């Protein structure tokens, strides 16, 4: 199996084999971070621009570390201090950056489809680090890698994703990816936070958390995006927490060896209680560790692809 | 088997390979005056199986077990940006400290020396060995770097249009060394 895509924009387009290739490659990259010298020369001489048009802690640091551990030269761009504030368009900014002979652009943007649009305009590789409410492929890949590492495989597992599915690019990427890998995906949340027609993805819809997590292998809690709560998706944070918060009491419905995941950042006491987030079933910090290896694998594969033409 | 190429000759049969590995194992023990401070690291893919066979032979000779490691040099190659597609990356597994140890690197064929250059770079990222020695089953010449083997099973003059293929039971279901070409 060979990787022959210029970009990584989402998991909706990927095949099962391509996802498997990324996860298998990640296995090998994980070992590098355990060495005393955590650096290999694979991307020496390559330049990567991190274009973050939205705040990010984990993903930005993770990408930057991954790039540096592969010996690439890294340029960081943040929207607030750029010429965008002088009226330059998003595409012009990107084209100007590419004119400086950048080999790869990692982009986080608040608009869905931003990475796709960029990939059509640039010869450089484009990696989607999260675009609006569309996709966040590397997060879903690291989630699947963590599950595979803990459970020994993916096929036939049951995963419940609980929370704000409507606004979650992590949920979308996970639904696409996990369904392809043979996982039964259950989504759960208030009706107002579930997208219309989500069943078409093959995910099963639940409105009660106890039903959703019954006998599941993995529970993924999603962040309640407090910045969106002015829009009245549910009466109050307290009420949400009461009906959908992940408590140790509720864990009894799941399997005895259930994994608790969260893409971060966590609202402690809202979607997940501290004793669950810090408890024995939690793999939340392992997700962060695996994120670094996944991003190294993605950068290696994407930048090594010889498919450098902009597709029509 | 490479397409359009045919087998041109047998360099070593199964017994020949086994005798050669046995000789290399004896030479390693002799040169290092025993096995103290010795570790063996095989370069993926076939170098790993050769390393395992050498360790087994030394165990028979000296009654001592030498630590064995696995090196995947993919990420240290100097041609990653020029080859057709990224090669598959496998794990490097060196579960011991190589600092102040005598490391015997094992590979199947020594050709341009570029694989060994990459292996040396990677090894040095793991620590500071007292010495690094190189053992290969076949030295086919055409060196592009100033690298030589300390233990060479067989020197085989070849043309650059030919390929020396080492086959090992553990990976290829058959043990032999052949030359293939047009």
């Amino acid at each position: 199996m060979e990787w022959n895509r210029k970009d990584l924009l989402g998991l909706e387009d990927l095949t099962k084999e391509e996802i498997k290739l990324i996860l298998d490659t990640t296995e090998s990259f994980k070992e590098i971070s355990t060495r005393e010298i955590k650096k290999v020369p694979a991307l020496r001489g390559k330049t990567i621009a991190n274009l973050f048009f939205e705040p990010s802690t984990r993903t930005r640091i993770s990408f930057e570390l991954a790039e540096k551990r592969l010996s690439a030269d890294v340029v960081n761009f943040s929207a607030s201090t750029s010429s965008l504030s002088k009226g330059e368009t998003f595409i012009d900014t990107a084209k100007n950056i590419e004119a400086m002979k950048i080999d790869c652009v990692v982009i986080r943007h608040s608009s869905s489809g931003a990475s796709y649009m960029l990939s059509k305009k640039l010869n450089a590789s484009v990696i989607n680090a999260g675009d609006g409410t569309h996709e966040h492929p590397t997060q879903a890949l690291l989630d699947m890698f963590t599950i595979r590492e803990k459970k020994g495989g993916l096929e036939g597992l049951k995963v419940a994703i609980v929370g704000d599915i409507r606004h979650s690019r992590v949920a979308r990427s996970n639904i696409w990816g996990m369904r392809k890998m043979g996982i039964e995906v259950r989504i759960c949340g208030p009706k107002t936070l579930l997208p219309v027609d989500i069943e078409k993805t093959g995910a099963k819809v639940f409105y009660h958390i106890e039903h959703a997590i019954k006998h599941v292998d993995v529970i993924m809690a999603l962040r309640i995006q407090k910045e969106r709560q002015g829009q009245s998706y549910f009466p109050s944070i307290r009420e949400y927490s009461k009906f959908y918060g992940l408590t140790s009491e509720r864990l009894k419905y799941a399997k005895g060896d259930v994994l608790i995941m969260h893409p971060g950042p966590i609202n402690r006491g809202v979607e997940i209680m501290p004793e669950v987030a810090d408890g024995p079933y939690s793999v939340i910090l392992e997700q962060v560790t695996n994120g670094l290896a996944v991003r190294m694998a993605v950068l290696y594969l994407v930048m090594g692809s010889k498919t450098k033409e902009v597709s029509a | 088997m490479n397409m359009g190429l045919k087998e041109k000759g047998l360099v070593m049969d199964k017994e020949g390979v086994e005798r050669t590995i046995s000789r290399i194992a004896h030479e390693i023990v002799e040169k290092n005056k025993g096995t103290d401070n010795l570790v063996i690291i095989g370069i993926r893919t076939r170098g790993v199986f050769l390393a395992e066979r050498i360790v087994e032979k030394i165990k028979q000779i000296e009654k001592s077990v030498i630590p064995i490691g696995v090196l995947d040099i993919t990420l240290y190659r100097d041609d990653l940006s020029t080859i057709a597609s990224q090669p598959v990356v496998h794990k490097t597994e060196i579960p011991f400290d190589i600092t102040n140890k005598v490391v015997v690197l094992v590979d199947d064929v020594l050709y341009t020396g570029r694989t060994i250059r990459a292996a040396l770079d990677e090894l040095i990222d793991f620590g500071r060995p007292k010495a690094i020695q190189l053992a290969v089953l076949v030295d086919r010449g055409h060196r592009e770097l100033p690298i030589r083997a300390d233990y060479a099973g067989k020197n085989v003059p070849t043309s650059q249009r030919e390929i020396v293929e080492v086959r090992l039971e553990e990976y290829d279901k058959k043990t032999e060394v052949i030359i293939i070409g047009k």
Side-chain angles (χ1 to χ4, degrees):
Chain A
M1 171 73 210
E2 252 178 38
W3 181 268
N4 48 25
R5 289 175 184 264
K6 177 176 83 77
D7 314 301
L8 177 70
L9 306 176
L11 298 192
E12 188 179 359
D13 295 337
L14 296 195
T15 63
K16 181 180 180 173
E17 290 68 32
E18 283 171 318
I19 293 171
K20 188 177 179 296
L21 175 65
I22 297 171
L23 299 183
D24 291 346
T25 307
T26 301
E27 296 258 1
S28 309
F29 278 101
K30 200 171 172 183
E31 174 267 329
I32 294 164
S33 292
T34 65
R35 299 181 190 181
E36 198 163 327
I37 295 175
K38 301 169 179 58
K39 210 173 172 87
V40 292
L43 296 185
R44 202 173 51 182
K46 303 278 189 188
T47 309
I48 303 171
N50 296 317
L51 271 56
F52 278 70
F53 294 87
E54 243 192 0
S56 165
T57 307
R58 252 166 304 272
T59 307
R60 198 181 56 75
I61 290 173
S62 185
F63 264 112
E64 193 175 337
L65 257 183
E67 291 151 6
K68 286 177 173 171
R69 285 190 182 172
L70 291 169
S71 303
D73 295 314
V74 179
V75 181
N76 286 312
F77 163 98
S78 92
S80 57
T81 56
S82 75
S83 285
L84 282 165
S85 57
K86 298 177 186 173
E88 188 177 59
T89 67
F90 162 59
I91 291 294
D92 280 339
T93 298
K95 280 192 167 289
N96 275 279
I97 288 171
E98 190 178 52
M100 296 175 206
K101 303 291 173 253
I102 298 281
D103 300 289
C104 175
V105 173
V106 175
I107 178 170
R108 155 75 58 100
H109 203 283
S110 56
S111 298
S112 300
S115 60
Y116 178 82
M117 184 164 83
L118 201 61
S119 73
K120 297 290 168 226
K121 301 283 182 187
L122 302 185
N123 286 310
S125 292
V126 175
I127 297 173
N128 181 5
D131 59 337
T133 59
H134 173 230
E135 283 224 42
H136 190 351
T138 56
Q139 178 67 44
L141 288 163
L142 75 89
D143 292 340
M144 285 189 279
F145 180 82
T146 306
I147 295 168
R148 194 175 82 159
E149 198 178 44
K150 293 285 172 189
K151 300 287 184 186
L154 295 172
E155 187 87 35
L157 294 180
K158 293 184 175 78
V159 177
I161 305 175
V162 182
D164 183 357
I165 312 288
R166 178 188 288 268
H167 302 108
S168 177
R169 52 195 174 209
V170 173
R172 272 178 191 73
S173 284
N174 265 310
I175 293 168
W176 290 121
M178 288 178 180
R179 292 294 303 127
K180 280 178 180 149
M181 301 312 282
I183 292 175
E184 180 188 307
V185 182
R186 302 172 176 190
I187 57 166
C188 174
K191 229 172 190 171
T192 50
L193 290 181
L194 300 183
V196 177
D197 286 346
I198 192 72
E199 293 92 340
K200 286 182 180 172
T201 61
K204 294 181 176 175
V205 178
F206 292 81
Y207 300 108
H208 296 284
I209 189 166
E210 289 81 3
H211 300 166
I213 66 176
K214 200 167 186 177
H215 306 313
V216 295
D217 301 279
V218 181
I219 304 169
M220 187 182 295
L222 298 177
R223 184 173 70 93
I224 280 303
Q225 303 184 26
K226 289 177 178 173
E227 63 271 24
R228 301 189 198 275
Q229 292 324 310
Q231 300 171 40
S232 304
Y233 289 104
F234 48 80
S236 71
I237 295 280
R238 224 168 101 187
E239 180 163 315
Y240 177 86
S241 186
K242 184 181 170 193
F243 287 103
Y244 294 98
L246 209 47
T247 61
S248 42
E249 191 58 36
R250 282 189 169 132
L251 286 194
K252 290 170 188 164
Y253 289 91
K255 280 189 180 170
D257 60 349
V258 68
L259 299 179
I260 303 300
M261 303 178 90
H262 193 302
I266 297 173
N267 290 317
R268 283 173 182 269
V270 179
E271 70 267 3
I272 189 165
M273 300 308 126
E275 70 271 17
V276 176
D278 304 326
Y281 305 108
S282 170
V283 290
I284 293 169
L285 290 177
E286 283 166 76
Q287 286 174 265
V288 178
T289 302
N290 290 337
L292 183 58
V294 160
R295 286 169 183 124
M296 286 171 86
V298 165
L299 286 159
Y300 171 78
L301 290 168
V302 165
M303 293 182 75
S305 165
K306 288 294 167 282
T307 315
K308 288 294 178 202
E309 301 77 36
V310 176
S311 49
Chain B
M1 176 65 83
N2 295 272
M3 298 305 290
L5 299 173
K6 60 179 188 294
E7 216 170 289
K8 288 176 76 177
L10 183 72
V11 177
M12 271 186 243
D13 58 10
K14 186 180 173 183
E15 290 70 29
V17 171
E18 279 164 9
R19 276 194 295 273
T20 304
I21 288 170
S22 185
R23 178 169 55 79
I24 289 173
H26 278 94
E27 284 177 3
I28 289 170
V29 173
E30 187 184 5
K31 182 167 179 163
N32 293 290
K33 299 182 177 64
T35 58
D36 286 352
N37 217 27
L38 205 62
V39 299
I40 289 200
I41 293 176
I43 298 173
R44 280 191 199 275
T45 303
R46 290 172 186 81
V48 178
F49 303 115
L50 287 169
E52 284 168 353
R53 290 189 188 199
I54 290 168
V55 165
E56 192 50 43
K57 278 282 174 221
I58 290 175
K59 190 176 161 187
Q60 290 167 20
I61 301 162
E62 288 289 293
K63 307 285 179 284
S64 61
V65 179
I66 301 172
I68 186 165
V70 175
L71 204 61
D72 183 277
I73 57 102
T74 308
L75 298 170
Y76 285 75
R77 288 172 62 151
D78 59 6
D79 58 356
L80 278 176
S81 56
T82 57
I83 49 179
S85 65
Q86 295 290 60
V88 176
V89 186
H90 294 287
K91 268 189 198 158
T92 285
E93 297 166 65
I94 304 178
F96 44 81
D97 186 8
I98 62 166
T99 299
N100 293 325
K101 296 274 191 271
V102 174
V103 177
V104 180
L105 260 183
V106 182
D107 203 3
D108 53 354
V109 179
L110 178 55
Y111 181 25
T112 61
R114 289 178 186 273
T115 296
I116 304 305
R117 193 280 312 159
L120 293 174
D121 274 359
E122 183 163 13
L123 266 186
I124 280 153
D125 278 353
F126 274 88
R128 190 176 183 279
K130 184 172 176 231
I132 301 174
Q133 298 167 359
L134 175 62
V136 296
L137 193 63
V138 175
D139 182 346
R140 61 168 293 191
H142 303 289
R143 211 77 76 244
E144 293 171 5
L145 297 170
I147 282 167
R148 59 159 180 77
D150 297 271
Y151 315 99
K154 194 162 188 172
N155 290 293
V156 182
T158 57
S159 106
Q160 285 191 303
R161 289 187 299 278
E162 293 169 327
I163 294 167
V164 175
E165 206 168 86
V166 171
R167 295 171 180 170
L168 298 169
E169 209 87 47
E170 302 89 325
Y171 193 73
D172 308 288
K173 309 282 181 270
K174 196 176 186 183
T175 294
E176 62 182 8
V177 180
I178 56 163
I179 292 184
I180 52 180
K182 284 219 160 62

